[in-house]
């Protein structure tokens, strides 16, 4: 069979994400696409090497879309490869990771059949992409004493307990908090603070905290910065309860603002994290690619 223009679908998937739901349904997913006249080109996640090579060699005029299946880390790898290779195809997300914060922003379905329905539909919305030094991120960049929570959480525990595993690990790390000095430069202003940790949000949630950045708009060309100042531990505990409800940004121990350009410097070697994976070294320069992605959704613009 001769494949004509726009009949291919590149499927980038992480077989180890979540509880194996996607892997167990892979054959049925390919069958549905094939029955609709599409040729599926599967690419298995392998530390970013496979997707980078696949996109570097792609003739995107032959493809309808890219489908990515996994959590935020897998989507991050895919988006970085897309941008670096100038791939401008709409992206369908199968949220099969642990927290799925980026997909959660768009209220994407969680069952396989509905995921395929959305991917094969013709509705999309736009999404900004954040940039941290030479690396892109879809949802959140973080730095400080708590950023390695997801990196230290046992993968088996994450797959068994899901988001609750992050909470357990986070609670164990609170007693180890150490204030770190940072200098922030944004819009001509210089801010110096001692902080426990800090978030630069493109999306609204992270680690399963649904309202971590309740004012975020993923299409506004801005990043939401949330800095947790040095404070007595006795004040931190009730603040964390406020974080769960999303009612905390007016707390005296929080510094928050929006920006499309931010430089973070420090004399300390601060741990950083980008979409749940090890991040860049200080200093950090943040910027935004406005409405860079087209994301398949149940409602939105028509392709």
């Amino acid at each position: 069979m001769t494949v004509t223009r726009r009949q291919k679908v590149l499927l980038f998937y992480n077989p180890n994400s979540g509880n194996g739901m996607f892997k167990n349904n892979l054959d049925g997913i390919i069958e549905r696409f094939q029955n609709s006249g599409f040729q599926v080109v599967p690419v298995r996640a392998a530390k970013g090497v496979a997707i980078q090579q696949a996109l570097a060699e792609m003739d995107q005029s032959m493809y309808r879309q890219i489908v990515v299946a996994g959590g935020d880390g897998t989507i991050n790898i895919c988006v970085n490869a897309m941008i670096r290779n100038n791939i401008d195809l709409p992206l369908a997300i199968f949220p099969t990771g642990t927290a799925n914060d980026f997909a959660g922003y768009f209220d994407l379905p969680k069952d396989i059949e509905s995921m395929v329905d959305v991917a094969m539909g013709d509705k999309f919305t736009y999404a900004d992409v954040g940039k941290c030094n030479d690396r892109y991120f879809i949802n959140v960049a973080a730095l400080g004493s708590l950023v390695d929570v997801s990196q230290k959480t046992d993968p088996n525990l994450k797959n068994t307990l899901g988001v609750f595993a992050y909470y357990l690990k986070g609670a164990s790390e609170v007693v180890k908090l150490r204030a770190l000095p940072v200098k922030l430069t944004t819009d001509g202003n210089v801010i110096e603070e001692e902080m426990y940790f800090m978030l630069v949000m493109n999306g609204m949630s992270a680690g399963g905290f649904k309202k971590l950045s309740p004012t975020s708009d993923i299409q506004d060309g801005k990043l939401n910065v949330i800095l947790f100042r040095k404070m007595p531990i006795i004040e931190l505990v009730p603040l964390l309860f406020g974080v769960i409800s999303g009612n905390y940004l007016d707390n005296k121990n929080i510094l928050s603002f929006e920006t499309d350009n931010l430089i973070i410097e420090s004399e300390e070697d601060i741990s950083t994290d980008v979409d749940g994976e090890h991040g860049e070294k200080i200093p950090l320069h943040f910027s935004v690619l406005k409405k860079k992605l087209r994301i398949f959704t149940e409602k939105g613009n028509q392709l």
Side-chain angles (χ1 to χ4, degrees):
M1 180 183 72
T2 301
V3 179
T4 58
R5 294 171 68 87
R6 302 297 183 193
Q7 275 192 313
K8 289 186 176 183
V9 172
L10 188 141
L11 172 59
F12 178 58
Y13 69 97
N14 182 353
N16 300 315
S17 65
N19 57 11
M21 176 180 67
F22 176 83
K23 183 170 60 174
N24 296 336
N25 287 276
L26 179 57
D27 184 67
I29 292 167
I30 293 175
E31 180 182 28
R32 281 200 60 187
F33 275 101
Q34 287 183 174
N35 288 343
S36 296
F38 298 107
Q39 177 184 336
V40 177
V41 179
V43 179
R44 190 178 189 274
K47 299 181 179 179
V49 176
I51 187 66
Q52 174 66 31
Q53 181 176 348
L55 296 189
E57 298 171 352
M58 167 187 278
D59 176 2
Q60 61 181 308
S61 68
M62 302 294 290
Y63 285 79
R64 176 182 192 262
Q65 69 195 129
I66 293 175
V67 178
V68 56
D72 291 335
T74 303
I75 301 170
N76 175 289
I77 291 170
C78 183
V79 168
N80 270 269
M82 288 174 65
I83 294 174
R84 295 186 195 288
N85 289 284
N86 298 311
I87 301 298
D88 184 28
L89 290 171
L91 187 66
I93 298 171
F94 285 21
T96 57
T98 302
N100 303 305
D101 292 299
F102 185 67
Y105 185 94
F106 304 102
D107 198 26
L108 296 177
K110 297 179 176 61
D111 65 283
I112 290 291
E113 288 301 318
S114 297
M115 291 179 196
V116 178
D117 289 340
V118 171
M120 293 177 59
D122 62 356
K123 297 293 192 299
F124 77 96
T125 191
Y126 290 102
D128 298 340
V129 174
K131 186 178 182 183
C132 177
N133 292 355
D134 293 324
R135 187 169 167 185
Y136 303 96
F137 65 98
I138 52 166
N139 192 55
V140 59
L143 57 156
S145 299
L146 285 182
V147 299
D148 56 355
V149 167
S150 64
Q151 296 164 5
K152 290 181 177 178
T153 303
D154 185 283
N156 294 322
L157 187 65
K158 286 166 65 176
N159 290 339
T160 303
L161 299 180
V163 171
F164 189 61
Y166 291 112
Y167 298 163
L168 292 176
K169 189 64 184 177
S172 71
E173 296 291 318
V174 168
V175 295
K176 304 175 186 176
L177 286 178
R178 183 171 69 91
L180 299 165
V182 290
K183 183 172 83 169
L184 315 179
T185 304
T186 178
D187 299 327
N189 299 316
V190 177
I191 305 167
E192 296 194 31
E193 290 278 354
E194 282 191 281
M195 62 102 182
Y196 280 143
F197 51 100
M198 180 177 174
L199 304 165
V200 181
M201 301 286 301
N202 186 40
M204 188 177 290
S205 67
F209 288 91
K210 301 298 184 184
K211 299 178 181 180
L212 189 56
S213 183
T215 61
S216 285
D217 180 345
I218 212 162
Q219 299 178 355
D220 65 356
K222 300 286 187 180
L223 298 171
N224 288 60
V225 180
I226 304 169
L227 181 145
F228 291 72
R229 293 182 166 114
K230 179 183 179 180
M231 71 190 85
I233 294 298
I234 194 172
E235 295 182 17
L236 177 60
V237 175
L239 176 56
L240 292 178
F241 281 104
V243 169
I244 295 173
S245 66
N247 183 26
Y248 75 101
L249 293 181
D250 59 352
N251 188 291
K252 66 179 182 180
N253 294 310
I254 296 293
L255 171 67
S256 65
F257 58 90
E258 294 182 347
T259 184
D260 60 2
N261 200 293
L262 172 68
I263 296 173
I264 303 176
E265 300 169 278
S266 179
E267 297 176 355
E268 298 270 357
D269 182 17
I270 301 177
S271 296
T272 69
D273 173 293
V274 175
D275 286 334
E277 305 296 334
H278 289 286
E280 305 291 290
K281 291 283 189 182
I282 294 281
L284 305 177
H285 179 206
F286 288 92
S287 56
V288 186
L289 283 65
K290 188 173 182 179
K291 294 185 177 180
K292 182 64 176 177
L293 299 177
R294 288 175 290 160
I295 307 293
F296 280 89
T297 54
E298 290 185 293
K299 300 176 182 179
N301 303 301
Q302 192 163 2
L303 287 173

